Amino acid sequence: MNWDLRTFDVLDSTNEEAWRLADAGAPEGVAVLAKSQTAGRGRRGRSWESPEGNLFLSLLLRPAVPPAEAAKLSFLAAVALGETIELAAPGLTGRVRCKWPNDVLVDGAKVSGVLLESRTRPDGALDWVIAGIGANLVHKPIHTLYPATALADHGDIHNPVDFAGWLLARFGYWYARWKTDGFAPVREAWLKRAHGLGQQIVVRLPEGELHGRFAALDDSGALLLELPDGRRQAITAGDVFPVG
Ligand code: BTN
């Protein structure tokens, strides 16, 4: 992939800017990087704290696949992020895990998140997908659902431009692989880093909580939760927490 990296001092949200560019007809491969965001957004309608020093990057993609396939790109982004963190901070090798659906953890604390947004055409075909990636390089938020960390807490200081360059390379590798070989190799790489696989978890959903064992990740990217009665339920959205 030949990335066209566009850098900004401040944006409302790099996803929002990528969205504007996509709607104006920008091609696949545009990457939007901002030093800070005034209205950074996270998954499930949450906001994303965006102070200067951290990474705020959004990738515009136009893969020729159905929307359900494109949704799996969040796993690809998490795998690329995990690899980039280990490249940037070799001392963290083996301590970087992927938490379903698309967070990246260092020593069990969230260091990075992915927000995928897409648009479909009136006929249902995918028009574009934006992979928005935030990483706590220097700062970490205080009041979070899940414990948070930053690379700097581990003695690894990196500037967002260098980090973005490494991440674009790893994402580009996996994106090409996904286009030729499909989701299977991405799923395999994600599972090698999976946090909590086989363990008891709680899934928080808008309508309540589900308890069970994180049994597997299926071919669609859903988390398979083994319920206390042995049935397996596919979870496609929600927040996952360890039990106890
Ligand atoms: C999450 O909730 O874990 C996902 C967070 C994604 C944040 C990134 S920062 C770059 C891009 N622009 C945004 O407004 N959000 C994403």
Side-chain angles (χ1 to χ4, degrees):
M1 170 81 80
N2 286 322
W3 296 106
D4 170 7
L5 181 63
R6 305 193 187 179
T7 56
F8 297 81
D9 279 342
V10 58
L11 282 174
D12 44 1
S13 149
T14 54
N15 266 36
E16 197 64 39
E17 178 65 15
W19 187 314
R20 289 187 284 263
L21 290 165
D23 280 348
E28 161 159 295
V30 167
V32 178
L33 180 71
K35 285 186 185 160
S36 67
Q37 304 183 119
T38 54
R41 47 183 190 253
R43 286 175 56 237
R44 301 166 67 80
R46 293 190 275 258
S47 62
W48 184 259
E49 287 181 28
S50 306
E52 188 164 339
N54 284 352
L55 177 90
F56 313 107
L57 179 69
S58 297
L59 313 179
L60 170 58
L61 305 164
R62 295 184 183 274
V65 299
E69 280 304 307
K72 299 174 191 171
L73 285 169
S74 60
F75 293 92
L76 190 157
V79 166
L81 265 164
E83 291 180 351
T84 303
I85 292 170
E86 290 193 351
L87 280 171
L92 298 180
T93 302
R95 292 154 59 188
V96 182
R97 315 294 292 171
C98 291
K99 175 176 172 285
W100 190 90
N102 39 46
D103 292 345
V104 180
L105 312 180
V106 171
D107 292 345
K110 178 165 171 171
V111 73
S112 181
V114 178
L115 175 66
L116 221 58
E117 295 180 316
S118 61
R119 188 192 290 289
T120 49
R121 299 202 191 96
D123 66 358
L126 182 74
D127 188 354
W128 48 254
V129 51
I130 291 165
I133 300 170
N136 302 333
L137 301 185
V138 179
H139 311 282
K140 61 174 182 242
I142 307 291
H143 303 292
T144 50
L145 273 179
Y146 203 83
T149 190
L151 287 190
D153 292 354
H154 302 274
D156 292 290
I157 312 290
H158 295 288
N159 75 66
V161 176
D162 290 344
F163 192 89
W166 301 323
L167 178 56
L168 290 174
R170 290 320 298 154
F171 193 100
Y173 164 81
W174 280 108
Y175 189 58
R177 186 95 196 267
W178 176 72
K179 279 183 167 174
T180 51
D181 299 335
F183 183 51
V186 176
R187 178 175 172 273
E188 197 179 315
W190 190 92
L191 281 168
K192 280 193 187 138
R193 290 184 185 276
H195 176 75
L197 187 63
Q199 294 171 11
Q200 292 297 321
I201 58 169
V202 184
V203 183
R204 291 203 190 136
L205 306 162
E207 59 275 16
E209 287 187 355
L210 282 173
H211 291 245
R213 192 176 68 88
F214 178 1
L217 179 77
D218 78 8
D219 292 344
S220 73
L223 181 156
L224 295 184
L225 187 71
E226 192 174 274
L227 300 170
D229 64 5
R231 279 183 307 122
R232 283 187 172 194
Q233 181 162 340
I235 308 290
T236 55
D239 291 309
V240 170
F241 298 87
V243 170

